[in-house]
Amino acid sequence: MIPGPRNLITDVPGLLVGNAQDTALKSGTTVLLGQDQLTGSYCVMGGAPGTRETDLLEPDKSVAQVDAIVLSGGSTYGLDAASGVVSGLREQGRGFPLLHLRIPLVPSAIIFDLLNGGDKEWRENPYPALGRAALADARADFELGTVGAGTGALTGMLKGGLGSASLVLDSGITVGALIAVNPVGSVTTPGERHFWAAPFEVDGEFGGLGPDPRGGLGRSFESRKAGAAAQLANTAIGVVATDASLTKAQAKRVATVAHDGIARAIVPSHMPNDGDLIFAVSTNSRQLRAPESDIRDIGHAAALCIARAVARAVYLARPAPGDLLPCWSDGET
């Protein structure tokens, strides 16, 4: 397995990602768009998720494919970002065909970033406009760090952000991940230099410092986030994607396995006040040759990509006025 040419989820052919953010709001929205409809499912392992239209992704539900996935800040308000995306897709003539109608299907999930120091005194919910703007921004090459849904993200000790990574399997199948990192737990070991995900790093993509050499790590939990009165502002939400053709049941299994990447990169993870959720989608452009082993390898690669994407989100976060927490980059020498 090697990273794709961009080391982004858009190394999966047929995928585009758009970001929109408001620096005063300290929040934003990210859209994953398929050039064609996507087969997908999801898995929640956090205790406090916020979602829209995820039930239709269950394997026993009749809807087979969706048009886009939205990750957003804004908690409940941020779920309306999908409304902006739906409106934009309708104008493009996209969506589930029903007689003369087109109904865009856009599952979404949110992080809680309402207590991160941004100006939340709006008169009109800003998230539908952010969703529409993120859709309009959809492209193959996109920024990471303090952008989109990761704009106002905070981890336990450092500023969070938006991360992505990819792998191309020996079979030729491509797997990628996209994640907004805003968890209860920490992405770095005590001292905030080494990443928990260090054993899975490829080519120095998040600093190349390697694993923390100290033993006995992870037994204590310190949180600057809680001290900044933002202890409820939690969740890691993401998407894993592949060009391999998957059923909804297979996508469900890939989403479940991909959560291992969160657990490897964030300590602790999947807590009662995290909303940890991963979508899994397929562009269905490559047929499985050995379904059992292929699904195994796709799930493994998805977990690796999630772990690396989590670390990249924090590594690439950049400071902004009014930040409550420092950035990893503040400690660079």
Side-chain angles (χ1 to χ4, degrees):
M1 297 183 187
I2 59 172
R6 298 182 181 90
N7 198 18
L8 298 172
I9 196 170
T10 48
D11 286 324
V12 176
L15 293 183
L16 303 172
V17 170
N19 289 312
Q21 53 279 326
D22 182 323
T23 55
L25 185 69
K26 281 191 178 292
S27 189
T29 296
T30 297
V31 175
L32 176 81
L33 179 68
Q35 292 178 343
D36 296 307
Q37 288 191 310
L38 305 168
T39 300
S41 192
Y42 76 111
C43 177
V44 176
M45 287 195 177
T51 62
R52 168 175 163 157
E53 291 197 324
T54 50
D55 282 354
L56 61 83
L57 296 174
E58 292 290 355
D60 65 330
K61 300 302 185 290
S62 59
V63 171
Q65 295 182 312
V66 300
D67 296 285
I69 300 290
V70 172
L71 310 177
S72 185
S75 189
T76 297
Y77 304 102
L79 291 175
D80 269 351
S83 297
V85 176
V86 167
S87 296
L89 289 172
R90 180 177 182 273
E91 291 173 1
Q92 296 176 18
R94 294 193 53 166
F96 178 75
L98 184 62
L99 298 177
H100 64 286
L101 301 174
R102 288 279 178 172
I103 304 173
L105 300 176
V106 184
S108 63
I110 47 86
I111 64 172
F112 189 117
D113 59 1
L114 299 179
L115 299 175
N116 64 0
D119 181 6
K120 307 302 194 294
E121 297 300 320
W122 62 74
R123 290 189 176 184
E124 181 178 346
N125 188 341
Y127 290 96
L130 285 168
R132 185 183 281 267
L135 176 65
D137 182 62
R139 62 187 70 189
D141 291 300
F142 61 96
E143 294 183 28
L144 302 179
T146 308
V147 295
T151 299
L154 306 172
T155 75
M157 296 300 286
L158 297 170
K159 194 170 177 179
L162 184 75
S164 190
S166 70
L167 285 171
V168 180
L169 281 61
D170 293 345
S171 63
I173 291 170
T174 301
V175 176
L178 175 72
I179 191 163
V181 182
N182 185 62
V184 171
S186 177
V187 175
T188 50
T189 65
E192 286 70 69
R193 300 312 298 156
H194 294 269
F195 289 94
W196 291 111
F200 312 105
E201 185 176 14
V202 180
D203 296 333
E205 62 193 333
F206 43 88
L209 297 183
D212 195 323
R214 293 172 293 170
L217 295 168
R219 290 181 293 171
S220 61
F221 175 44
E222 182 183 357
S223 175
R224 291 194 185 110
K225 190 175 187 177
Q231 65 267 30
L232 298 179
N234 306 309
T235 293
I237 51 173
V239 188
V240 292
T242 181
D243 53 356
S245 184
L246 301 181
T247 65
K248 287 172 72 176
Q250 290 169 331
K252 180 84 172 181
R253 176 47 46 189
V254 170
T256 303
V257 175
H259 270 279
D260 285 357
I262 290 180
R264 293 167 183 169
I266 302 171
V267 179
S269 58
H270 304 141
M271 302 301 286
N273 47 344
D274 277 316
D276 296 347
L277 177 150
I278 293 178
F279 296 101
V281 298
S282 166
T283 62
N284 298 304
S285 60
R286 182 184 289 269
Q287 294 300 311
L288 299 178
R289 295 185 177 181
E292 185 173 341
S293 59
D294 283 344
I295 294 298
R296 176 199 65 200
D297 293 346
I298 291 167
H300 175 50
L304 292 175
C305 286
I306 284 285
R308 294 162 52 223
V310 166
R312 294 190 80 199
V314 173
Y315 176 69
L316 293 170
R318 290 299 179 259
D323 282 351
L324 298 183
L325 297 182
C327 290
W328 187 92
S329 60
D330 292 341
E332 291 180 311
T333 57

